[in-house]
Amino acid sequence: MPAEPAADVTPKADAAAVATPRAPSRAPAGPPGNSVPIELSLSWRSSTTRLIVIYGALFVVWSAVLIGVVHWETRNYLSTVVDQILEQRAHYFATIERERLPEAMKAASAIDLQGVMAYGLFTPDGRYLSGNLRRPPQGLPADGRVRLLARGIERRDRDGEFPARTLALYLPSGELMVLARGTNVIEQVGLILRQSLLWALSLTLIPGLIGGYLLSRGPLRRVRAIEAAVQPIMQGQLDARLPVSRRRDELDLLATIVNTMLAELEHLMGEVKGVCDNIAHDLRTPLTRLRAQLHRLRTQTAPADARAATIDRCIDDVDALLARFAALLRISEMEDLRRRAGFGHVDLAATVRELQDLYAPLAEDKDVQLQIEIEEALPAIPADRELLFEAISNLLSNAVKFTPPGGAIRMRLRPYDGGAKLCVVDSGPGIPPGEREAVLQRFYRSDCTRHLPGSGLGLSIVSAIMRLHGFRLEIGESEHGGARVSLYCVPRDLSGAA
């Protein structure tokens, strides 16, 4: 089936009854009725949650910087205090007589109940003389300046090494005196500050994340309500509106703007549609009159008269115009979505068999095989039987028209997602991928089919019928290189809930 969506005349039916409605060119690629679901995980992607996450991240960064600055300042302050204590103690020991120095160190060690101070007196070559230090720290300059020994010092009264701030200097007697003070107090203060940061983060972030999740649920429910309200609008029901709450927040402002736009769009579309319908309706009367006069003139003209052929061509042109106007009014009627109230349950298998019986003689006259493949256990479809008959009839009419002699047409009907899927497959020239959206537009005819009879409204009407029912139409390529037109007849809630 090529890119000629023209409506053909069905046996015992006029051209307007064969043509079929227009489906929106933006038909979804997935199964019909499947709107984009909003999962629970989307709560974490809402604006409220993102705002709280951003605030939490800024709080973490700021708290880390603040605790880091406090820790650095505190460490520097305590280190300065320790250095001053070591320098004062070194000055005191340096002024004591050599004979009294070991006793003074022993007395200072005795009153150091926490054991944070360490003393040592060594010979210039490093041999132990007195104090609680085992040996002088390696690499420590004896210049009287305090340095941090991260690797620690070794004490005679304890096992292991202890990080300390240490000072070393030579006494006037030439002996080496080493004083050290442990940094465990400084480390404890740093640990307390880090634990405070962790507690602050846990007490802020965890309630913040839980609060963000709870706060995002309200807007998310409203977004779901808006999504449900948008569904009938997407189906062409322009009189539907988005819900507006009393909060008058950003969502309500957006919904109000969209509702205003929809009202204006509905008004403009109504005006355009009314003009087109009026033109089509008003022109049918003079065209019908013209055809009657031409027919009367034809009956009064002898068959041998040369004017008879011209009159016949005029009558054919008038019939084509009347068929086009009838098809336009037919599309307009279905786009009003007023026939849904009369939907019943349709046996699609019986409809397909009836259409096979109807089109089999036409296919046989053209030497084209017409076959059907129907799977069992097909459910009844809630639909308008006459409209579905019209849509499938139009597809078969086009398939017979464009399939060359010796070709084949197959209708395949099988269950699909709680409904049914009907494929009309032919071995004709097919529809190029670049024209599969365009053929659903009114009056579109490809360059290779303009010489054939038709109005370019056939697939537009099929598409309109699918849209009216909430079904989906898909055009592809068959395994024989021709066209494959698939109708996904899946029931769904046409009120907007997917």
Side-chain angles (χ1 to χ4, degrees):
M1 187 193 313
E4 167 53 89
D8 276 347
V9 178
T10 317
K12 300 179 182 180
D14 58 72
V18 179
T20 25
R22 176 176 60 88
S25 59
R26 301 184 301 275
N34 287 353
S35 60
V36 180
I38 301 181
E39 301 294 344
L40 185 62
S41 61
L42 292 184
S43 299
W44 299 107
R45 299 166 57 185
S46 66
S47 300
T48 304
T49 306
R50 289 181 178 179
L51 181 61
I52 292 180
V53 168
I54 292 174
Y55 170 77
L58 292 176
F59 176 81
V60 169
V61 173
W62 177 251
S63 298
V65 172
L66 178 61
I67 295 297
V69 171
V70 172
H71 181 270
W72 183 74
E73 292 287 349
T74 304
R75 190 181 186 89
N76 285 346
Y77 172 75
L78 294 177
S79 298
T80 302
V81 172
V82 170
D83 294 350
Q84 291 176 353
I85 294 174
L86 288 175
E87 291 172 352
Q88 293 173 0
R89 194 65 57 90
H91 177 71
Y92 170 71
F93 287 146
T95 59
I96 297 178
E97 297 178 358
R98 172 64 183 83
E99 293 77 10
R100 295 175 52 201
L101 185 57
E103 290 297 329
M105 287 185 176
K106 185 177 180 181
S109 180
I111 63 175
D112 182 20
L113 300 179
Q114 296 181 353
V116 295
M117 293 293 297
Y119 310 91
L121 190 60
F122 306 93
T123 62
D125 58 358
R127 286 185 298 108
Y128 173 78
L129 294 176
S130 65
N132 57 8
L133 287 177
R134 290 183 181 274
R135 61 181 64 87
Q138 295 182 356
L140 178 65
D143 55 1
R145 298 178 59 184
V146 180
R147 290 177 173 82
L148 173 65
L149 296 182
R151 295 181 58 186
I153 57 173
E154 296 184 53
R155 297 180 55 157
R156 301 178 67 85
D157 54 352
R158 297 181 188 177
D159 295 331
E161 296 183 346
F162 304 91
R165 299 189 69 82
T166 311
L167 174 150
L169 55 82
Y170 286 105
L171 297 175
S173 60
E175 295 167 327
L176 178 64
M177 183 178 63
V178 179
L179 304 179
R181 184 180 178 90
T183 59
N184 57 331
V185 175
I186 300 176
E187 298 301 330
Q188 284 293 330
V189 171
L191 178 60
I192 293 173
L193 291 175
R194 289 191 293 271
Q195 290 177 344
S196 300
L197 174 62
L198 294 178
W199 277 106
L201 295 181
S202 62
L203 293 176
T204 303
L205 291 182
I206 294 177
L209 292 177
I210 296 176
Y213 171 72
L214 296 177
L215 289 175
S216 65
R217 294 181 63 184
L220 187 57
R221 284 195 297 267
R222 296 172 63 193
V223 170
R224 285 174 175 163
I226 291 176
E227 182 196 27
V230 165
Q231 294 301 318
I233 299 174
M234 294 172 60
Q235 298 299 320
Q237 189 176 339
L238 294 180
D239 59 342
R241 295 294 181 265
L242 303 184
V244 179
S245 69
R246 297 180 180 179
R247 300 181 183 180
R248 308 303 298 170
D249 57 6
E250 295 86 351
L251 284 178
D252 290 333
L253 178 61
L254 178 60
T256 302
I257 294 174
V258 173
N259 287 340
T260 304
M261 179 187 68
L262 288 173
E264 184 65 19
L265 183 62
E266 180 186 14
H267 174 70
L268 294 176
M269 291 296 293
E271 288 186 349
V272 173
K273 178 179 174 297
V275 170
C276 295
D277 293 349
N278 290 336
I279 292 175
H281 184 273
D282 293 344
L283 286 180
R284 284 201 306 175
T285 301
L287 285 174
T288 303
R289 241 187 253 116
L290 175 62
R291 188 189 186 285
Q293 294 174 3
L294 288 172
H295 180 72
R296 189 180 303 110
L297 182 61
R298 178 65 181 84
T299 58
Q300 297 173 358
T301 304
D305 194 330
R307 294 174 295 179
T310 302
I311 296 175
D312 288 337
R313 287 194 298 272
C314 292
I315 292 176
D316 292 339
D317 291 340
V318 172
D319 287 341
L321 286 174
L322 288 172
R324 291 193 183 190
F325 287 136
L328 284 174
L329 292 175
R330 182 75 165 145
I331 294 176
S332 177
E333 174 191 355
M334 286 180 290
E335 287 183 342
D336 280 340
L337 310 178
R338 291 177 297 185
R339 296 193 58 161
R340 289 178 179 172
F343 280 7
H345 287 82
V346 179
D347 185 351
L348 202 55
T351 303
V352 169
R353 292 189 182 96
E354 183 179 349
L355 283 165
Q356 183 196 27
D357 295 338
L358 184 63
Y359 277 89
L362 292 178
E364 186 177 352
D365 290 344
K366 198 176 178 182
D367 191 22
V368 173
Q369 295 183 0
L370 177 58
Q371 302 174 350
I372 61 172
E373 301 173 8
I374 301 178
E375 295 187 15
E376 299 299 328
L378 283 168
I381 306 299
D384 186 304
R385 185 185 182 280
E386 294 181 2
L387 292 180
L388 283 185
F389 188 94
E390 188 175 350
I392 303 171
S393 173
N394 183 261
L395 296 180
L396 280 177
S397 176
N398 282 343
V400 172
K401 180 196 298 186
F402 296 114
T403 301
I409 301 173
R410 290 180 175 84
M411 289 192 294
R412 299 169 182 168
L413 183 62
R414 63 180 180 86
Y416 181 87
D417 196 20
K421 176 182 178 181
L422 173 65
C423 295
V424 178
V425 181
D426 62 49
S427 57
I431 302 176
E435 298 185 2
R436 290 172 186 171
E437 293 290 336
V439 295
L440 302 179
Q441 301 173 6
R442 301 182 188 184
F443 301 112
Y444 179 84
R445 306 189 69 187
S446 62
D447 294 336
C448 60
T449 59
R450 293 186 184 278
H451 63 285
L452 297 175
S455 62
L457 291 171
L459 287 180
S460 297
I461 301 180
V462 174
S463 182
I465 293 177
M466 294 298 101
R467 181 180 180 182
L468 174 69
H469 289 79
F471 298 162
R472 181 163 61 92
L473 182 150
E474 186 179 273
I475 300 176
E477 182 178 355
S478 71
E479 57 270 22
H480 304 294
R484 175 197 301 271
V485 181
S486 302
L487 306 181
Y488 295 85
C489 304
V490 179
R492 64 169 174 165
D493 184 3
L494 294 174
S495 64

